[in-house]
């Protein structure tokens, strides 16, 4: 495994800032922050309940631009489309840094698409045990371990 790059992110077990505040301070996530401010994500998360744990998978500005999402494009998007974009990158539950580093794992996004059916493996990823189609699972994001996590 290659040597780690960058600085370790300090971990604090209790949140002291809102997601909006954290995103607003990140200079490499300004496009995601622009989309967040336009969206109704704060309301959607509140609707899930105060004790809901979620993880945001925030693409950096370079990734957003590479996919064609500039500040001007985001400004022109209908709010429902912005919500769909951000719901896709919002995962219910917590994903630890170690899970991102060492594993590939399926996670459920908050983006709802009742017409989408994907395989779900209850017996473990790739084991073939418990393989079934679950219509309640709407979107699965596969996170692959990256050397630079």
């Amino acid at each position: 495994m290659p040597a780690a790059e960058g600085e370790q992110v300090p971990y604090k077990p209790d949140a002291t800032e809102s997601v909006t505040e954290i995103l607003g301070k990140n200079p490499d996530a300004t496009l995601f922050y622009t989309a967040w401010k336009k969206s109704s994500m704060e309301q959607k998360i509140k609707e899930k309940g105060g004790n809901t744990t979620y993880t945001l998978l925030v693409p950096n500005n370079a990734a957003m631009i590479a996919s064609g999402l500039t500040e001007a494009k985001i400004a022109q998007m209908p709010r429902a489309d912005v919500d769909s974009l951000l719901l896709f990158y919002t995962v219910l539950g917590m994903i630890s840094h170690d899970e991102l580093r060492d594993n590939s794992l399926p996670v459920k996004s908050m983006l709802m698409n009742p017409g989408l059916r994907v395989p779900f493996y209850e017996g473990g990823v790739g084991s073939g045990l418990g393989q079934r189609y679950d219509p309640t699972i709407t979107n699965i994001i596969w996170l692959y371990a990256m050397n630079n996590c």
Side-chain angles (χ1 to χ4, degrees), residues 98-119:
D98 290 338
E99 287 174 305
L100 288 174
R101 178 181 298 277
D102 297 331
N103 299 298
S104 298
L105 65 151
V107 293
K108 188 177 2 178
S109 80
M110 285 181 58
L111 180 63
M112 303 303 283
N113 183 347
L116 181 64
R117 293 168 55 94
V118 294

Side-chain angles (χ1 to χ4, degrees), residues 26-146:
N26 187 336
D28 201 29
T30 57
L31 292 174
F32 194 88
Y33 178 59
T34 297
W36 183 268
K37 291 187 299 183
K38 182 173 181 168
S39 76
S40 57
M41 285 299 294
E42 288 184 21
Q43 180 60 35
K44 290 182 181 302
I45 290 170
K46 282 180 188 174
E47 289 170 3
K48 291 286 184 188
N51 293 323
T52 301
T53 302
Y54 60 95
T55 301
L56 283 180
L57 305 171
V58 180
N60 65 18
N61 291 334
M64 297 281 279
I65 291 168
S67 67
L69 293 169
T70 62
E71 195 165 332
K73 177 74 173 181
I74 293 167
Q76 294 173 355
M77 291 172 68
R79 177 176 279 174
D81 291 350
V82 175
D83 284 349
S84 290
L85 174 71
L86 297 181
L87 286 167
F88 180 76
Y89 286 108
T90 307
V91 175
L92 290 174
M94 185 175 85
I95 301 173
S96 72
H97 183 267
D98 290 338
E99 287 174 305
L100 288 174
R101 178 181 298 277
D102 297 331
N103 299 298
S104 298
L105 65 151
V107 293
K108 188 177 2 178
S109 80
M110 285 181 58
L111 180 63
M112 303 303 283
N113 183 347
L116 181 64
R117 293 168 55 94
V118 294
F120 178 70
Y121 298 90
E122 288 181 336
V125 174
S127 71
L129 300 174
Q131 183 176 2
R132 64 183 171 88
Y133 282 97
D134 185 344
T136 64
I137 296 179
T138 55
N139 281 293
I140 301 292
I141 303 171
W142 282 94
L143 300 176
Y144 291 98
M146 305 285 289

